[in-house]
Amino acid sequence: MGLKINHNVAAMNSWRNLKATDEAMNKTLERLSSGSKLNRASDGPANMVIAEQMRSQVASLEQATSNSELAVSLVQTAESSLNEVNNILIRMRQLSLHAANEGVNDDKMLAADQAEVDNLLQTLDGIANQAQFGTRSLLDGSNGISGVAVGEGIRFVKAETETESSPADGYEVDVTSASTRARLEGSRPLSEEETNSGGVQFTLHEGGRSLTYYSKVGETMESIVNNLEQLIKQNNMSMEVGSTEDGRLWAEHTEYGSEPSFGAVTSVEGLLTEQANTLAESVQGTDVQGTIGGELAHGDGRFLSAAQGTKAEGLVIEYVGGVKTQPKTDDQGNPVLDANGQPAEPMDISEGAAYVTNNSLTFQVGPAQAQSARIDLPNMNSHTLSRDMDNDSGFSSLGDVDITTFQGAQDAMTLIDQALHEVTSVRGNLGAFQKNTLETNLSNLRYAKENMTAAESEIRDTDMAEEMSKFTRQQILLSSGMAMLGQANQTPKAVLSLLNAQ
């Protein structure tokens, strides 16, 4: 073999392998001591990028979970206050029923009932004003949705949580066609012969209910209409009947729109149906048509709803005005003609605007942008409950009820029932929001966090058994490498033996 002293390649080889073993052992020791196999970007650049993204997602999932849990607490706080409002309304209804028992009540008993009602109303208003979550008021209307509409025959109905607050000049509302009701109308009045003979059959069908009436000898159309109205009321049918100026009978559905309908049969042709003893279906009504915010809206009866996906989505307007058929006119008032020389389509029959303020609560319930949920908490003050309900006592809201008279007690029950409906509807919305939005979302977030953490662990965490096996191997290699480096350093000493032999 060759003996060299300037370059000990064997020692260099042993040193290189020993160095590599030492570096590998240091990495193994670092992974074993930290529990992580990604301690710096050089340990796995691509894996480091993925792992850090996952770490960010896990942290976001944790925060979203915390957000949802706090939202549940807020909803439960509001719902518990509404539960007490429910109890107050139930007690007020009991008092109204007691006050309505006019035969045994005297003035002192009625005054005592009214005093308790007044006290209950004060308590209700106190709950509405004082219910809080931290410093946030819950039931005073500051977290609700309010709106108003201006324009002839235009009435604001409601807006949803997805409805954006309107601009300064509101959402423009243009009604182009009013709604109508399903209708049948006779082509002729009752003849003198039919009046004198009597026995003309009138049958009406509506909503699964029906009635039949036979005219009497000498009965006029006015009397027939009155008797039909009584039967309609007795059978709880959603219809109206009447007669035209020239004595022709007509019937209409009480609800507007294209869906409601009814049928009729008469034993004599022309009185309400074209043919005798043949069921005639009513002429279909129409839905209101128009635009909200400059975009086509959906009509349902007299209600016009903003289209989905628009800024005004969820806004509902009711048009209660009449039908106008005037044609479009120019600045001089002359009719505008179309290409065929005919009057152009009627202009908007009503124009106005809807103003919406949306202060509903928004909860960030997801780990990414726009993953939020909203709910509104309306004003539960007694002067906003049961507002503008028809009643003979002139009560404008629940806060005005007076049960010291029989009629007042009767009307109070009507308003209290409406208030109970409004409060329980809000409670139902809160319960559905808590169960179907927040709690379901919480369950999903927890599963997502668990799975994301498991995925991050696969990339980032050290497999201790595998690293211990590597560590044992590296210990052996380190010992043998040091031994071999020593042996390689002994080889040049053989040259001294040659020199000594001289």
Side-chain angles (χ1 to χ4, degrees), residues 25 28-29 31-33 462-476:
M25 177 171 280
T28 299
L29 285 170
R31 290 170 180 170
L32 288 170
S33 60
T462 298
D463 185 334
M464 301 299 285
E466 180 183 4
E467 291 299 328
M468 285 300 298
S469 298
K470 291 180 180 179
F471 180 69
T472 302
R473 174 176 174 273
Q474 288 156 3
Q475 279 185 313
I476 296 171

Side-chain angles (χ1 to χ4, degrees), residues 206-392:
E206 187 277 322
R209 297 173 291 272
S210 64
L211 64 86
T212 299
Y213 177 73
Y214 294 91
S215 67
K216 301 175 179 61
V217 175
E219 191 171 26
T220 63
M221 181 59 73
E222 182 181 359
S223 177
I224 291 173
V225 168
N226 290 335
N227 290 325
L228 284 173
E229 285 179 338
Q230 291 181 9
L231 288 173
I232 288 172
K233 187 175 182 180
Q234 291 172 8
N235 287 274
N236 197 28
M237 297 170 68
S238 301
M239 293 184 62
E240 292 179 351
V241 293
S243 61
T244 62
E245 292 183 358
D246 58 357
R248 291 178 292 115
L249 179 66
W250 59 262
E252 278 190 341
H253 204 285
T254 56
E255 297 180 10
Y256 287 81
S258 57
E259 300 225 348
S261 65
F262 65 92
V265 179
T266 58
S267 60
V268 179
E269 65 181 19
L271 291 184
L272 191 60
T273 61
E274 291 184 4
Q275 298 180 353
N277 299 315
T278 302
L279 178 65
E281 291 294 332
S282 58
V283 177
Q284 189 179 34
T286 59
D287 299 312
V288 65
Q289 296 180 21
T291 61
I292 296 179
E295 299 186 77
L296 192 64
H298 171 70
D300 182 10
R302 298 199 299 184
F303 299 97
L304 194 63
S305 304
Q308 196 171 21
T310 64
K311 291 184 177 181
E313 177 184 355
L315 174 61
V316 180
I317 298 297
E318 183 181 17
Y319 177 66
V320 296
V323 179
K324 301 178 183 178
T325 57
Q326 69 269 27
K328 291 183 178 179
T329 57
D330 56 24
D331 295 337
Q332 287 73 39
N334 300 315
V336 177
L337 304 180
D338 61 18
N340 298 319
Q342 299 298 318
E345 291 295 322
M347 60 184 176
D348 294 345
I349 62 176
S350 184
E351 297 178 350
Y355 299 87
V356 179
T357 301
N358 188 344
N359 292 323
S360 56
L361 299 174
T362 303
F363 304 100
Q364 179 68 32
V365 295
Q369 299 92 329
Q371 293 180 347
S372 58
R374 303 182 75 175
I375 191 168
D376 69 297
L377 296 173
N379 194 339
M380 289 290 108
N381 187 281
S382 63
H383 293 288
T384 60
L385 293 172
S386 306
R387 180 181 288 175
D388 298 330
M389 283 198 66
D390 291 335
N391 64 91
D392 295 332

Side-chain angles (χ1 to χ4, degrees), residues 15 25 28 49 61 67 126 136 161 163 171 204 299 301-302 346 349 441 444 469 473 485:
W15 177 83
M25 177 171 280
T28 299
V49 171
L61 287 167
N67 289 354
R136 178 183 289 278
T161 54
T163 309
Y171 290 116
L204 300 175
R302 298 199 299 184
I349 62 176
N441 181 65
N444 180 62
S469 298
R473 174 176 174 273
L485 180 59

Side-chain angles (χ1 to χ4, degrees), residues 53-69:
Q53 289 176 343
M54 288 183 173
R55 175 183 287 183
S56 173
Q57 287 180 293
V58 169
S60 298
L61 287 167
E62 289 176 351
Q63 187 59 56
T65 300
S66 178
N67 289 354
S68 297
E69 289 170 345

